[in-house]
Amino acid sequence: MRSARVYDEVSDDDGTRVLVDRVWPRGMRKEDPRVGHWLKDVAPSTELRKWYGHEEEKKAEFAKRYRAELKEEPAASALADLRDLAEEGPVTLVTATKDLKLSQVPVLLQMVGK
């Protein structure tokens, strides 16, 4: 499993691209191939996302709170769907976040275990 920005061009080795943001990325059409599947329920809640603000000093606490959210519905079902996709073949998690290291993607990669 890998990660990329949703604005990056599709690569031959991307496999299934999965948008893991709660909000649709600016300037993207629904049929844009860079998006792939949209699993918005696996994304952090709006409240958590706004609190975090991608601030480096909040990263550890964000990860802890986000893991807790992923254990509750509907996020737990969306995470199970993501795991199922990963079992079927290569998956690339995509996000509109500018800095992938400060996004939810590292937590998801850890939770999926691929």
Side-chain angles (χ1 to χ4, degrees):
M1 185 170 291
R2 36 183 298 205
S3 62
R5 291 198 66 229
V6 71
Y7 302 106
D8 295 342
E9 289 303 316
V10 175
S11 172
D12 289 340
D13 57 347
D14 278 352
T16 303
R17 288 173 68 103
V18 180
L19 177 63
V20 293
D21 289 344
R22 184 154 310 271
V23 178
W24 189 260
R26 281 194 183 118
M28 305 284 300
R29 295 183 327 269
K30 297 286 184 190
E31 64 278 355
D32 195 309
R34 295 175 292 177
V35 174
H37 295 286
W38 185 23
L39 281 179
K40 70 178 180 177
D41 287 333
V42 79
S45 66
T46 300
E47 296 79 17
L48 181 57
R49 182 176 51 83
K50 287 182 177 181
W51 168 83
Y52 176 41
H54 298 96
E55 295 176 30
E56 178 76 41
E57 62 275 3
K58 293 181 178 178
K59 185 177 175 181
E61 181 63 24
F62 166 77
K64 178 181 169 186
R65 293 181 187 189
Y66 183 37
R67 281 187 199 95
E69 283 189 355
L70 288 168
K71 293 177 182 175
E72 303 294 326
E73 291 299 336
S77 292
L79 182 60
D81 292 343
L82 186 57
R83 286 183 175 130
D84 290 345
L85 283 171
E87 290 297 320
E88 293 173 13
V91 171
T92 299
L93 302 181
V94 296
T95 178
T97 306
K98 291 179 183 174
D99 187 343
L100 289 173
K101 292 178 196 152
L102 293 177
S103 74
Q104 69 275 18
V105 171
V107 176
L108 284 173
L109 290 171
Q110 195 175 52
M111 295 291 288
V112 172
K114 291 278 180 184

